[in-house]
Amino acid sequence: MIALEHASAERGLLILSHGEELRIVAEARTGRDVVDVQMQDASVTPSDLPDSLLHYVIRTQESVILDDASTQNPFSQDEYVRQRRPRSVLCLPLVKQVNMVGILYLENSLAPRVFTAKRLAMLELLASQAAISLDHARLYADLGRLNAELTQENSDRRKAEEELRQKEISLREAQTELAHVSRVTTMGELAASIAHEVKQPLAGIVTNANASLRWLASELPNLKEAREAIGRIIRDGNRANDVVTRMRALFKKAYTAKERFDINDAIEEVAILTQREARRNQVALRIEPAADLPTVTGDRVQLQQVVMNLILNGIEAMSTIEDRERDLVIRTQRGEGDEVRVAVQDSGIGFDPRSAERMFDAFHTTKPGGLGMGLSISRSIVESHGGRLWAVPNDGPGATFQFTFHT
Ligand code: ADP
């Protein structure tokens, strides 16, 4: 199964710094239906990832993407690259305030160009969230040591154990986060292979349906053959269905946090992260937050993913505009009832009102390198929170994408 081969080739490492030393604390691999995350505590060796790349990222604290590590690049002489031959590689420093707290390393050995700038921006967001969870993970490790020292003193130990349990929960969160990060990054490659995998059973269905028509059309219909062909149609239909089900499971985050948070703060973080992309595209990005908004309830990271998707789409929609300002405005306001409404307005190419709904279909894209998954995933995130996401053409040029979130 091509998708599985692709997916299982996908690997991610989470490396944290302990003082001077770097240690691998988790390794994620995409497996059959799930992303398998192994927690560990091992020193980093040149057989884990390209050593020269790792040191470059530590020195510069900048993310590196290799579109295709198998072609000539500054790291092609690296022993790891030569032996393991990864194709797409991404190495991202996890920076908290100004300190590098760790490194996220992702690779894909089958497909080139899996890690795009758009996905990097998304990862940087997730990484900044992960950095926070990671601090908890580190606390957990410290507590582990503390716990060992406290074995004599019973009451203290009980307290430590309770804290340990709490930290374990944080650790699981970090784990889910990492799994989610690897999942988001395999999307491109998965979409391509899933399309391929669905096509095969579909072709089989058409062939067998034609065959059964032929068996039935003859003067003496051959019911036995026809029945067998129909059996194969059902088998292929189920196979296609399985592929789609598996895909859904992959895109869905297993764990959804339910917390109260300030939506303006969450949006501002995303705006900061996308500022660089905006500047690079000569886009003026601005937030118009409503004052006195109530806090909203849901998964903060997922909401940020939606906002980021909409911002990056807006920036892309303005990339060909030369005769007017490229403005992107993010507004928050009170909606109906207990709703808060977020609007992302651009002055880009806009859309044909007839395709206002089609844009949200999975795999619908008008971009050459597009996946057509962004809006579809965004909508499912918003709807899983009980909100709505829709698009309206502006009075002037451009489009506005809006969604609601419950307080
Ligand atoms: P992708 O960006 O990979 O194409 P999306 O699901 O995010 O996938 O978007 C689907 C399509 O919707 C885009 O290809 C584009 O045609 C349209 N679209 C999305 N955002 C905008 C926008 N801000 N302005 C105009 N069209 C848009």
Side-chain angles (χ1 to χ4, degrees):
M1 298 244 129
I2 299 149
L4 300 185
E5 280 166 21
H6 277 220
S8 62
E10 189 53 46
R11 189 169 154 257
L13 289 177
L14 179 61
I15 298 168
L16 290 187
S17 45
H18 286 268
E20 286 295 284
E21 204 198 350
L22 287 173
R23 301 197 61 86
I24 300 178
V25 296
E27 175 163 2
R29 283 172 194 273
T30 40
R32 199 180 162 78
D33 292 322
V34 288
V35 178
D36 177 39
V37 182
Q38 297 283 333
M39 301 308 282
Q40 47 180 268
D41 184 23
S43 49
V44 183
T45 71
S47 60
D48 293 314
L49 76 167
D51 207 36
S52 55
L53 172 65
L54 177 68
H55 284 101
Y56 177 85
V57 172
I58 295 172
R59 198 171 62 247
T60 60
Q61 298 212 352
E62 282 191 2
S63 307
V64 172
I65 296 181
L66 302 180
D67 280 341
D68 190 349
S70 66
T71 60
Q72 190 61 31
N73 68 75
F75 307 100
S76 31
Q77 286 314 304
D78 193 286
E79 198 52 33
Y80 181 93
V81 175
R82 286 189 359 209
Q83 295 209 342
R84 303 283 283 270
R85 305 189 166 279
R87 301 292 301 275
S88 304
V89 168
L90 181 145
C91 196
L92 179 133
L94 304 173
V95 180
K96 213 177 150 216
Q97 271 114 34
V98 289
N99 299 319
M100 199 192 74
V101 291
I103 284 188
L104 184 65
Y105 172 81
L106 298 169
E107 71 177 23
N108 188 296
S109 316
L110 286 164
R113 284 175 293 282
V114 167
F115 309 117
T116 59
K118 189 169 172 179
R119 232 166 277 153
L120 176 67
M122 183 87 87
L123 274 174
E124 279 174 346
L125 166 73
L126 289 164
S128 69
Q129 307 281 345
I132 298 163
S133 319
L134 296 179
D135 248 22
H136 294 167
R138 205 197 319 270
L139 265 174
Y140 167 81
D142 291 347
L143 262 158
R145 274 190 292 279
L146 183 71
N147 192 35
E149 288 163 17
L150 286 179
T151 38
Q152 259 73 336
E153 293 170 50
N154 242 334
S155 66
D156 279 0
R157 191 174 72 197
R158 251 202 306 283
K159 218 172 88 202
E161 274 170 2
E162 175 52 30
E163 281 182 59
L164 204 65
R165 246 195 307 283
Q166 289 301 320
K167 298 307 162 198
E168 238 162 15
I169 295 170
S170 309
L171 189 67
R172 256 200 302 281
E173 282 170 16
Q175 224 171 313
T176 317
E177 208 55 71
L178 182 69
H180 188 53
V181 166
S182 350
R183 221 173 292 177
V184 169
T185 54
T186 52
M187 237 152 61
E189 171 210 4
L190 276 171
S193 42
I194 283 160
H196 183 95
E197 252 199 287
V198 174
K199 262 199 172 139
Q200 278 181 345
L202 284 182
I205 288 172
V206 174
T207 311
N208 282 306
N210 278 323
S212 30
L213 282 180
R214 271 200 312 278
W215 293 121
L216 296 173
S218 64
E219 233 158 80
L220 273 175
N222 190 332
L223 292 181
K224 181 172 169 289
E225 291 287 356
R227 201 174 288 126
E228 276 174 20
I230 291 170
R232 287 192 294 274
I233 294 178
I234 293 173
R235 183 201 62 198
D236 285 347
N238 284 335
R239 217 174 107 198
N241 192 34
D242 280 353
V243 174
V244 175
T245 311
R246 224 166 46 223
M247 172 176 78
R248 283 232 185 86
L250 266 167
F251 287 149
K252 228 192 273 158
K253 199 174 167 183
Y255 171 80
T256 308
K258 205 165 179 338
E259 53 191 337
R260 303 189 68 82
F261 60 92
D262 184 304
I263 202 161
N264 287 333
D265 284 353
I267 291 174
E268 183 162 351
E269 268 175 41
V270 182
I272 292 168
L273 280 162
T274 42
Q275 199 57 259
R276 194 163 36 147
E277 186 71 11
R279 265 201 300 274
R280 207 155 40 137
N281 287 277
Q282 286 100 46
V283 168
L285 191 154
R286 151 173 124 245
I287 309 182
E288 289 181 5
D292 305 324
L293 275 187
T295 53
V296 295
T297 312
D299 190 311
R300 193 169 188 269
V301 177
Q302 290 191 350
L303 173 121
Q304 289 183 311
Q305 264 180 278
V306 172
V307 175
M308 176 167 282
N309 258 326
L310 299 182
I311 293 177
L312 294 174
N313 273 346
I315 293 175
E316 275 179 335
M318 294 187 282
S319 61
T320 54
I321 303 300
E322 303 293 352
D323 60 345
R324 55 178 180 266
E325 298 294 320
R326 299 178 183 178
D327 286 325
L328 194 113
V329 188
I330 309 154
R331 277 190 201 92
T332 54
Q333 59 192 123
R334 265 176 192 272
E336 287 157 22
D338 68 342
E339 280 176 357
V340 167
R341 183 183 287 199
V342 180
V344 179
Q345 180 184 342
D346 63 57
S347 58
I349 49 172
F351 60 88
D352 181 341
R354 279 171 305 186
S355 61
E357 275 307 302
R358 279 242 311 280
M359 289 191 296
F360 294 92
D361 288 347
F363 303 120
H364 172 81
T365 181
T366 54
K367 301 168 193 167
L371 271 183
M373 288 306 298
L375 286 179
S376 135
I377 291 176
S378 298
R379 180 173 262 182
S380 66
I381 290 177
V382 171
E383 287 180 351
S384 73
H385 284 83
R388 287 176 307 130
L389 168 65
W390 72 103
V392 284
N394 293 341
D395 285 341
T400 300
F401 284 75
Q402 311 192 45
F403 68 89
T404 57
F405 228 74
H406 286 293
T407 56

